[in-house]
Each structure stands twice: as structure tokens, then as C-alpha cells.
Amino acid sequence: MPTLCENCASPLEGGFCSQCGQSDTDYNIPVTQFAKEFASEAFSLDSRLRLTMKPLFFKPGAVPRDYVAGHRARFVPPIRLFLFASFAMFVSLTLGSGTRADNVTFNGVDVAAVAPDSVSPPPGSNPGGEDADPGETSFERTMQDRFVQGMQRVAEDRRAFASDFFDRFAQAMFFLLPVFAALLKLVHFRRLYVQHLVFSVYVHSFVFLVVALVALPDALPDALHLGGLSQWLSIALLGIPLYLLLAMKRFYEDRWLKTLVKFVFVWVTYSFTLAMTGLAVLVVSLLDM
């Protein structure tokens, strides 16, 4: 006897109702099993993850090359891998040493140490009042006051600021994927844009996973005493430019000289774009505190 749909009592075909389309998925299961199934569906955490990680890390450019060539069944789809990698990276960064309650740093500068002194007005001064620069506009004074208030709030609640900053930066990175692909399109204009986009997603996924691994020791409890390990792991970050160069060589199959010239253009241009994006996100996060 065929299984009937719980919604309309019609027979199920291929796991779905032939009339209303409802799935026969059973959610009357333990929460641990549900979480496992959800993670598997959301991030495709199955055997494909293992088959994807090895060439992704040790054969730069091989995964996007094979994926574009049609060998897709054994690899995690680009967007799923990107979501998994970005989630892993920003969780590690948020929980890492840079966001602990007693230490928030940006570019090696302790925000807690400099924020109150560097942004507080001197005694007796009146920001926006008689002591204000007559050349300043009302908008400039308002923005300066908001920046000062934002820095002071960072010193008071650093974890909230870090969480907000990384959340905004994650969203910005998603929009930078097509920008990176567009730069690749400029130097490899004969290729379809979607191929550059696939390459961009896999390369960013690799970078995010490396950053997640570097930040992981600091994200673990202090009792494990693994904080110093991140300093050694950070050496891996220096290999990212080399990884991109090798990935471009394998994926686009140009000669070494042409690959090197194109790499320099893409790396310098995108690094500048990424730096400006990070600065913009930092300013917005401060003004929105």
C-alpha cells in the first residue's frame, strides 16, 4: 500500500505528494538528529566535503577547473562551500582574542587603551560650541561627535562592536565576489564571466578557511593554552598570494610570465578595494554604535 500524504491523503511519489507537493520528511526526531540533517543539507557536509578540501588546499585552482569542466558531482557546490567557510571564519574571528572582553585590537592597536584618551575632548573644551573650528560645518561637527561617541562605546562594549563589524564585513565580502570575478574577466576576457565567478568563490572559500584555522586557537577557551599557536599558524596567511598565483596558473593555463603580470594587477587592485571596503565598514560600524 502506498504511503499517503499527511496533508491531503494523496499517494506519495518520490518522497513528495502527487497533489500538494508536500515532502514526506519526518520532523518527529531528536534535536541532535535534526541538527545533523540540517547541517548536511545547508552546507553539504558529506563525503564531498572531504573530496573538495584536499585538492582545494593542496592543488590550487584544481577544484574550480574541474568544476567548470563539468566534474561537479564530487565537489561541494561553490556557494555552499562559501557559506560554510565564511561562517567558520567569522565565528572564529568573533570568538578570537581580538574580540575578548579585555582586548580588542585593530592593526595591532588596543582600542581600549587609545579610545578614551584619544577621542575625549580636552578639559574645558566644548565640542561644537564656542571652541569649535569656525570653518567646520554642522555636518562635520555632527559626524565628529558621533565618531567620538562610537569610540567610547567600543571601549565599553567591545564584543558588541566586534560582532557588528564582522557581520557587516561578511555581507560586504559577499558583494566583493563579483568584483574579484570582474577583475579576472578584465585580464581573461575570452572566458565566460560565470567561470571567473566560480574561481572567485572557491578562492575566497580557501582564504576564509585559512583565516578560520589561524583564528581558531584564540577562539578556544583559555584553559587549553593554545593562544600562542595562532602566531605560528598566521604564517599560512603569507602563502595566500602564492596560492592565488598557482591557482590562476592551473585554472587559466597561461604561460608563467603572462600569469605573473595578470596576478600582480588582480592582487594589487583587489587588495586596495578590500582595504577601502574594510575601512568603510569600520567607519560605518563606529558611527552606528
Side-chain angles (χ1 to χ4, degrees):
M1 182 178 178
T3 305
L4 300 181
C5 175
E6 295 180 356
N7 184 43
C8 64
S10 299
L12 295 174
E13 296 179 1
F16 294 90
C17 177
S18 58
Q19 295 298 322
C20 67
Q22 177 171 303
S23 172
D24 67 342
T25 304
D26 182 15
Y27 289 104
N28 296 316
I29 56 178
V31 65
T32 54
Q33 183 179 347
F34 173 78
K36 181 179 179 180
E37 293 181 1
F38 175 80
S40 178
E41 292 181 4
F43 300 119
S44 189
L45 297 179
D46 49 24
S47 60
R48 288 185 295 175
L49 185 62
R50 175 178 54 82
L51 295 175
T52 302
M53 288 301 168
K54 185 175 180 179
L56 182 70
F57 274 82
F58 301 105
K59 293 184 178 180
V63 175
R65 181 198 61 188
D66 294 346
Y67 190 89
V68 167
H71 308 293
R72 303 171 184 173
R74 66 178 183 270
F75 296 130
V76 178
I79 295 301
R80 285 189 178 181
L81 182 62
F82 177 81
L83 292 175
F84 169 72
S86 59
F87 176 79
M89 180 182 72
F90 289 105
V91 166
S92 295
L93 289 175
T94 302
L95 298 178
S97 62
T99 65
R100 293 174 189 254
D102 58 347
N103 180 28
V104 175
T105 61
F106 292 102
N107 294 327
V109 179
D110 188 349
V111 173
V114 302
D117 296 332
S118 62
V119 301
S120 298
S125 64
N126 182 20
E130 296 180 357
D131 295 335
D133 186 348
E136 286 186 338
T137 64
S138 171
F139 174 77
E140 291 174 338
R141 288 195 296 269
T142 300
M143 295 301 292
Q144 181 179 4
D145 291 343
R146 290 185 61 184
F147 186 79
V148 169
Q149 294 171 5
M151 291 293 290
Q152 291 174 336
R153 290 171 184 169
V154 168
E156 297 170 359
D157 193 352
R158 302 152 199 166
R159 187 176 294 275
F161 170 76
S163 177
D164 181 65
F165 172 79
F166 289 130
D167 182 62
R168 293 176 188 272
F169 196 73
Q171 299 175 32
M173 286 303 303
F174 188 82
F175 289 102
L176 285 178
L177 288 175
V179 174
F180 186 74
L183 293 175
L184 293 169
K185 177 68 174 177
L186 288 177
V187 294
H188 301 96
F189 56 88
R190 290 188 178 88
R191 291 246 189 174
L192 296 176
Y193 177 77
V194 68
Q195 297 182 1
H196 304 301
L197 192 57
V198 170
F199 180 83
S200 174
V201 172
Y202 276 118
V203 168
H204 279 80
S205 298
F206 165 80
V207 174
F208 287 2
L209 290 172
V210 170
V211 174
L213 291 174
V214 171
L216 182 59
D218 286 332
L220 296 175
D222 292 336
L224 297 178
H225 301 291
L226 296 177
L229 181 61
S230 62
Q231 298 179 1
W232 292 99
L233 292 177
S234 62
I235 298 177
L237 298 176
L238 301 177
I240 291 177
L242 178 60
Y243 180 92
L244 177 59
L245 175 63
L246 297 176
M248 291 178 62
K249 179 67 174 70
R250 178 174 276 118
F251 184 81
Y252 295 106
E253 299 179 335
D254 285 331
R255 295 183 178 180
W256 271 110
L257 182 58
K258 293 180 65 175
T259 300
L260 183 61
V261 172
K262 294 175 181 180
F263 159 78
V264 171
F265 168 78
V266 171
W267 178 260
V268 172
T269 306
Y270 189 65
S271 296
F272 176 79
T273 304
L274 188 62
M276 292 298 100
T277 300
L279 179 61
V281 171
L282 178 61
V283 172
V284 171
S285 298
L286 281 173
L287 295 179
D288 196 42
M289 282 293 292

